[in-house]
Amino acid sequence: MKLLDPILEFHQEIQAIRRDIHAHPELCFEEFRTAELVAKKLEEWGIPIIQGLAGTGVVGVIKRGNSPKALGLRADMDALPMQEINQFSHTSQSAGKMHACGHDGHTAMLLGAARYLSQAKDFDGTVYLIFQPAEEGGGGARRMIEEGLFQQCPMDAVFGMHNWPGLAVGEFGVKTGGMMASSNEFEVTVRGKGAHAAQPQKGIDPVMIAVQIAQSWQTIISRNVNPLEPAVLSLTQIHSGSATNVIPDDAKLIGTVRTFSTEVLDLIESRMEKIARSTASAFDAEIEFEFKRNYPPLINHENETQFAIEVMRDLVGKARVDAEVEATMGAEDFAYMLQAKPGCYVFLGNGDGQHRSFGHGLGPCNLHNPSYDFNDDLLPIGASYWVRLAQAYLPCN
Ligand SMILES: [Zn+2]
Ligand SMILES: [Zn+2]
């Protein structure tokens, strides 16, 4: 591995920051202490900052030379509402809050890169260091964009990174195209007409209609979606009725849809609505159709992904970069940034959990597990990757 010497030299300092953030986790849009710590460090290293985007967002701006080229490097800062069971010295000091997704490490890795780049002169252009709030369900990335991130910080491309348990330390995983799924929820109400169960001819039975819709929906994945495209439609709840001798007024169908492409998602949503409305209409019932798109699919752009792969290969060696990593059904709000700008998101191996300090919980070191801890060995690897990426993207002529 070709890690950068200065980054190795201040490893202890960055590790102390990572453990401090781990001990003081903060939830979506409440990252006040974390954002203040980030801002303070950036200012200490002479980096101008922009504050207030999405509330607690912080952007560091490092400009060198005259090139108009710019890139963004993004880390997320928020923790999860869950109880940590680790007992080591940097365990969470806030009951019911925990850095169980490693965003403490993501923030620290970007700070490590910031510390290096604040001294570096060997690039020409602007690096935006984006510290984002509320990745865990809050859509902090979307809010930063809505509040003018890319107007205030015009950039040609944006890059993101997530630690990945199970992948060995020093290994990267990435792929072009869909790498993480979109997450979406639906709630469809069939409005019929209640009646005595012994006099069905006087009502419009929403239960029978809901069952027909549920069955017809299952043809969408099998008959409409391209078999080579992954997609899931799971109807997880059906609610209706309260008595054996009453035909109810309405029935609800609730569930989730996951896809890796917006086109497939558009297709599924429109087929679901058409089937629901036309089935209901055939039986003189009405439909209330709610389809909520949470995070979009995370789609890596081809050119930027190839670019990032070259940087990773140069850093850790070709054998340690899986350029066709298996996609995951998990979702990630960096997807919004990749909808607005070209870029690439990568997984960085967090190892198998052996790194955890004495006193860790007995559970696996998996994301969103109460025994999880970010692996500090990643700090110089992730920070070196960020620096190499910036140097390669903004070369001096
Ligand atoms: Zn997470
Ligand atoms: Zn995460």
Side-chain angles (χ1 to χ4, degrees):
M1 265 190 268
K2 292 193 257 173
L3 303 182
L4 294 157
D5 285 338
I7 284 180
L8 292 168
E9 275 158 32
F10 54 70
H11 175 63
Q12 291 305 323
E13 182 187 340
I14 300 297
Q15 175 174 297
I17 294 173
R18 200 288 288 181
R19 294 188 174 198
D20 180 61
I21 297 172
H22 188 93
H24 301 92
E26 296 172 299
L27 305 183
C28 280
F29 296 120
E30 295 171 2
E31 305 89 343
F32 302 111
R33 183 186 185 278
T34 311
E36 199 181 299
L37 188 154
V38 166
K40 202 181 107 211
K41 286 291 163 192
L42 295 178
E43 284 182 325
E44 200 178 300
W45 300 327
I47 301 171
I49 57 171
I50 299 167
Q51 281 177 285
L53 285 167
T56 49
V58 182
V59 183
V61 186
I62 311 180
K63 196 168 163 43
R64 296 281 183 274
N66 304 311
S67 169
K69 262 189 114 175
L71 92 164
L73 308 175
R74 172 272 204 176
D76 38 17
M77 301 189 289
D78 59 318
L80 286 155
M82 58 185 280
Q83 183 63 38
E84 180 161 6
I85 61 171
N86 295 315
Q87 297 287 334
F88 42 60
S89 59
H90 61 282
T91 195
S92 170
Q93 291 177 22
S94 304
K97 298 179 191 175
M98 177 187 178
H99 268 294
C101 206
H103 300 183
D104 49 344
H106 302 166
T107 299
M109 288 191 290
L110 191 54
L111 282 173
R115 195 184 187 306
Y116 180 99
L117 290 169
S118 70
Q119 306 280 317
K121 296 188 171 51
D122 51 356
F123 65 94
D124 186 11
T126 306
V127 182
Y128 293 106
L129 308 152
I130 306 164
F131 295 88
Q132 177 214 301
E135 191 287 319
E136 299 286 0
R142 184 181 56 200
R143 215 178 117 188
M144 283 189 95
I145 295 166
E146 284 168 358
E147 294 182 13
L149 173 67
F150 294 129
Q151 282 77 42
Q152 286 189 54
C153 308
M155 60 190 78
D156 300 293
V158 65
F159 294 85
M161 171 159 50
H162 207 292
N163 77 94
W164 209 244
L167 194 64
V169 173
E171 290 187 8
F172 285 90
V174 67
K175 76 188 285 282
T176 300
M179 190 158 97
M180 300 181 78
S182 65
S183 75
N184 315 279
E185 293 165 20
F186 61 84
E187 184 171 322
V188 175
T189 307
V190 182
R191 296 253 178 250
K193 195 168 121 194
H196 195 295
Q199 299 174 314
Q201 78 280 12
K202 293 187 176 171
I204 297 170
D205 183 357
V207 175
M208 180 276 300
I209 299 167
V211 168
Q212 302 242 354
I213 291 171
Q215 293 205 327
S216 301
W217 277 349
Q218 292 310 317
T219 64
I220 298 173
I221 307 295
S222 68
R223 303 291 87 184
N224 301 129
V225 173
N226 180 340
L228 299 176
E229 292 270 7
V232 172
L233 191 174
S234 288
L235 174 62
T236 52
Q237 303 176 46
I238 299 183
H239 298 287
S240 188
S242 56
T244 50
N245 55 356
V246 177
I247 291 172
D249 278 321
D250 46 43
K252 265 191 202 309
L253 302 144
I254 298 171
T256 183
V257 172
R258 306 286 171 119
T259 71
F260 284 96
S261 88
T262 311
E263 292 72 28
V264 173
L265 182 59
D266 289 344
L267 172 70
I268 293 173
E269 182 183 343
S270 74
R271 287 295 301 148
M272 284 180 73
E273 181 162 13
K274 189 163 186 189
I275 287 171
R277 290 203 189 282
S278 49
T279 306
S281 145
F283 295 104
D284 292 329
E286 302 215 323
I287 287 292
E288 277 165 33
F289 187 86
E290 278 177 47
F291 195 99
K292 193 171 143 220
R293 297 188 179 201
N294 293 337
Y295 293 172
L298 184 138
I299 312 290
N300 276 333
H301 296 243
E302 186 159 2
N303 290 344
E304 288 67 24
T305 303
Q306 285 311 318
F307 186 87
I309 287 170
E310 289 311 313
V311 173
M312 288 180 263
R313 283 178 174 164
D314 187 54
L315 184 69
V316 297
K318 196 173 175 195
R320 291 205 259 198
V321 180
D322 181 353
E324 300 206 10
V325 75
E326 188 174 75
T328 158
M329 297 313 279
E332 158 66 55
D333 83 342
F334 187 69
Y336 289 114
M337 295 202 181
L338 291 181
Q339 284 186 331
K341 292 283 169 186
C344 172
Y345 190 73
V346 304
F347 297 146
L348 175 59
N350 197 56
D352 58 7
Q354 295 301 315
H355 65 276
R356 286 176 292 178
S357 305
F358 181 74
H360 70 79
L362 295 177
C365 190
N366 288 343
L367 300 177
H368 295 210
N369 186 288
S371 299
Y372 169 86
D373 193 28
F374 180 84
N375 187 341
D376 286 323
D377 290 346
L378 269 59
L379 294 169
I381 305 171
S384 295
Y385 166 67
W386 281 145
V387 169
R388 287 282 190 227
L389 196 64
Q391 290 169 331
Y393 200 83
L394 306 170
C396 291
N397 289 319

